Amino acid sequence: MLIADLGCSSGPNALALVSIAVEAIHSHCLQLQQPPPEVCVLLNDLPDNDFNTVVKNLVMLHQSNKPAVVTVGITPGSFYERLFTSGSMHLLCSSNSLNWLSKVPEDLMRNWIPAYDVDEHARSERLPMVLEAYAQQFRKDFTNFLELRAKELVSKGRMVVSLVGRRSDVTATKFSYLSRTIYQILSVMVLEGVNDKEKFDSFYVPVYEPSNKEVREIIQEEGSFSIREMQVHDPTTDMNNALSTPSKFVNLLRALCEPILVQHFGDVMCEFRALQSVTGAWRATC
Ligand SMILES: C[S@@+](CC[C@H](N)C(=O)[O-])C[C@H]1O[C@@H](n2cnc3c(N)ncnc32)[C@H](O)[C@@H]1O
């Protein structure tokens, strides 16, 4: 069996999904009193990911006497392109990664429409257009993702995907809390003269949080997959616990966004971290 995690990152979660899958295969075979199949575990992320750490952990998984794991490997590259040979994969998983778009919405960039105008009036006027552009980009990317994965899976192969989203009954009237906080901190930096306004206006967080209705519609329209189960969890409670202090929250923002912030604005992370008071404002309004 070939299994892969797409967007594995390099932290403690990098092996979590594939390890669970290997355990599940093993206990299923034990129940059926069958020998487990040989398993090949592959981990994917963008080429800039810290694959050295991932490889060390993968080798540990390989040596951990897990009866089923015969080969391990990495597959660097974007999951918005082909990653595996046709009809080769049995199980594909991905968690918290498909929120990342392949690119920021082109219509916004081409027409110089900032994602988050410093001016509040202009911002709320443009917001529906901005959110729609993000939704369209997600639709394109997720459709492409499904088409590619359908080619790579064996017939009756399975995919398990989790992503951060919003409930369908909550209309998208604002950015996700993470994007909003990033824009808020950066806009304060513009107002304080620490950040260049032009640079801020051309910065787009390449993340979208779809509703479960959107995800279902895209899967049905694309047509390669049928949905066996869809669960919606409310992350607010966990999120509040996990991010219970401003510094924890800023650390999370940093972990998620430092590369794209530094790439766009240069060395601004000190100022970004120093603006924890804005994070406090977010916590009060979220
Ligand atoms: C928030 S982390 C999730 C890590 C882990 N899966 C988890 O659930 O904790 C998102 C990961 O997706 C990766 N990612 C984003 N876009 C990607 C793409 N187009 N192809 C492959 N990986 C991508 C990022 O590099 C990052 O490591």
Side-chain angles (χ1 to χ4, degrees):
M1 273 188 84
L2 272 75
I3 63 182
D5 180 8
L6 310 182
C8 63
S9 192
S10 56
N13 288 350
L15 261 66
L17 290 187
V18 289
S19 301
I20 291 168
V22 169
E23 294 292 347
I25 293 165
H26 191 225
S27 59
H28 184 71
C29 291
L30 269 182
Q31 260 178 17
L32 297 180
Q33 297 186 325
Q34 280 183 2
E38 292 184 347
V39 176
C40 169
V41 169
L42 297 170
L43 293 182
N44 153 263
D45 207 291
L46 290 169
D48 284 343
N49 189 45
D50 177 7
F51 280 111
N52 283 336
T53 308
V54 174
V55 166
K56 283 179 196 142
N57 291 332
L58 262 181
V59 170
M60 271 156 56
L61 176 79
H62 191 204
Q63 292 169 343
S64 65
N65 285 335
K66 291 245 190 298
V69 181
V70 173
T71 54
V72 292
I74 54 166
T75 311
S78 169
F79 49 54
Y80 294 124
E81 287 165 18
R82 277 295 296 273
L83 294 170
F84 311 107
T85 46
S86 300
S88 62
M89 304 303 296
H90 295 84
L91 174 66
L92 295 172
C93 355
S94 179
S95 87
N96 300 322
S97 302
L98 282 158
N99 295 99
W100 290 86
L101 302 172
S102 65
K103 57 183 174 197
V104 294
E106 265 169 5
D107 280 358
L108 299 182
M109 273 181 34
R110 204 180 315 117
N111 298 314
W112 299 93
I113 298 171
Y116 190 98
D117 217 299
V118 179
D119 177 74
E120 202 178 331
H121 179 68
R123 185 165 71 233
S124 44
E125 273 208 330
R126 285 178 180 153
L127 190 63
M129 188 201 311
V130 171
L131 292 176
E132 179 56 24
Y134 269 85
Q136 286 305 328
Q137 186 60 46
F138 176 79
R139 181 170 285 272
K140 275 189 212 151
D141 283 342
F142 192 44
T143 302
N144 178 33
F145 177 86
L146 294 170
E147 283 167 2
L148 295 168
R149 302 298 80 87
K151 288 189 184 129
E152 294 166 348
L153 280 163
V154 296
S155 156
K156 297 191 182 159
R158 297 286 168 89
M159 188 148 74
V160 182
V161 165
S162 89
L163 68 173
V164 183
R166 78 197 131 76
R167 284 182 183 279
S168 299
D169 49 0
V170 180
T171 326
T173 51
K174 49 190 179 186
F175 279 111
S176 72
Y177 73 97
L178 266 179
S179 303
R180 201 161 74 241
T181 311
I182 293 165
Y183 288 128
Q184 279 174 351
I185 295 176
L186 292 168
S187 68
V188 173
M189 286 163 73
V190 171
L191 295 173
E192 289 183 353
V194 183
N195 229 344
D196 182 56
K197 181 164 181 317
E198 259 185 43
K199 276 203 166 170
F200 175 69
D201 284 346
S202 60
F203 177 71
Y204 303 87
V205 180
V207 167
Y208 182 68
E209 297 187 356
S211 71
N212 49 322
K213 183 163 169 261
E214 274 173 294
V215 171
R216 182 178 289 279
E217 275 174 8
I218 298 170
I219 294 172
Q220 286 170 345
E221 270 166 33
E222 194 280 328
S224 302
F225 292 86
S226 57
I227 302 171
R228 282 183 67 94
E229 192 179 335
M230 185 184 264
Q231 294 180 4
V232 181
H233 300 279
D234 186 350
T236 7
T237 329
D238 296 344
M239 207 64 102
N240 282 343
N241 289 339
L243 310 173
S244 53
T245 64
S247 64
K248 272 191 190 170
F249 182 66
V250 168
N251 283 342
L252 174 86
L253 283 185
R254 195 179 162 193
L256 286 178
C257 297
E258 180 162 352
I260 51 170
L261 289 176
V262 171
Q263 192 186 25
H264 192 84
F265 294 104
D267 189 10
V268 291
M269 290 318 292
C270 276
E271 290 87 354
F272 190 83
R273 271 205 309 277
L275 280 164
Q276 290 189 356
S277 56
V278 176
T279 309
W282 164 79
R283 280 172 57 73
T285 56
C286 191

